[in-house]
Amino acid sequence: MSGLGAVLFDMDGTLVDTEVLWWETTEEIAAGLGHRLGRADAPEVVGRAVADTAGHLVRVSGRGEPAAVAAGLTEGFFQRVAAGAPMRPGAQALLTALEAQGLPFALVSASPRVVVDSVVGGSLAHVPFAFTLSADDTVRTKPHPDPYREAAARLGLGPQECVAVEDSPDGAASAEAAGCPVLVVPSLLEVPPSDARTFAGSLEEVTPDVLRGCLVL
């Protein structure tokens, strides 16, 4: 078994505190469709791709067109993110430690490219990612395994050598289906346990050695 080859970070709710911004955006769009967003909607909002959430809002409201709703969600989220998306506690220290040890890391997000570029050009402008993947860069995004398989392939590594850091059920499912060990730091939704998942309460608890401990030996 090889050692830790790379770390693959989710963005929203993991490295940056944007899940609340996404919820606020969805709440606003839902209200415009005559639907009051609530706890029952959370699994279709938190960690989901724009198209998935848009489809859900159209179904529950019985109004709107998926493409138009998706466009509204993307624009509203972009505007909020552009105004500022703070890093999550412990994120900067962990990224600095990985860089100091020469361990590569990449960003694997289910957000559209326009949102990823806004965050990477703003709050994460100083972070030396090997590359960034958005929802637009694979045929299917999370919860499908495609993004994490693509990320591992770009690094020339097997998925089992790449620890994914995630905060949502869909993100964890995506990484696990790709064959990556997963470190889960939950944010808005509880993530169910599995043999491939290690849990931490905050990135403040995570070090490169903790990530190495996630590898399946």
Side-chain angles (χ1 to χ4, degrees), residues 195-211:
D195 290 342
R197 300 172 187 177
T198 302
F199 287 77
S202 164
L203 289 180
E204 293 173 301
E205 304 173 8
V206 182
T207 65
D209 283 343
V210 168
L211 293 168

Side-chain angles (χ1 to χ4, degrees), residues 4 94 97-98 101 103 205-215:
L4 178 62
L94 177 56
L98 291 172
Q101 294 191 16
L103 283 167
E205 304 173 8
V206 182
T207 65
D209 283 343
V210 168
L211 293 168
R212 291 186 180 95
C214 297
L215 295 173

Side-chain angles (χ1 to χ4, degrees), residues 32-49:
L33 295 171
H35 175 67
R36 183 175 181 178
L37 205 66
R39 187 180 298 273
D41 299 292
E44 300 296 334
V45 177
V46 180
R48 298 304 300 265

Side-chain angles (χ1 to χ4, degrees), residues 130-147:
F131 55 83
T132 65
L133 277 179
S134 75
D136 303 327
D137 297 320
T138 52
V139 174
R140 302 180 301 178
T141 190
K142 303 173 188 179
H144 300 286
D146 306 36

Side-chain angles (χ1 to χ4, degrees), residues 11-72:
M11 185 178 77
D12 299 306
T14 300
L15 286 182
V16 290
D17 198 6
T18 51
E19 288 290 15
V20 171
L21 302 181
W22 175 239
W23 183 268
E24 290 174 352
T25 301
T26 307
E27 190 172 43
E28 180 179 76
I29 297 296
L33 295 171
H35 175 67
R36 183 175 181 178
L37 205 66
R39 187 180 298 273
D41 299 292
E44 300 296 334
V45 177
V46 180
R48 298 304 300 265
V50 173
D52 295 331
T53 298
H56 170 70
L57 294 182
V58 170
R59 287 192 300 273
V60 296
S61 69
R63 297 170 61 183
E65 294 293 332
V69 173

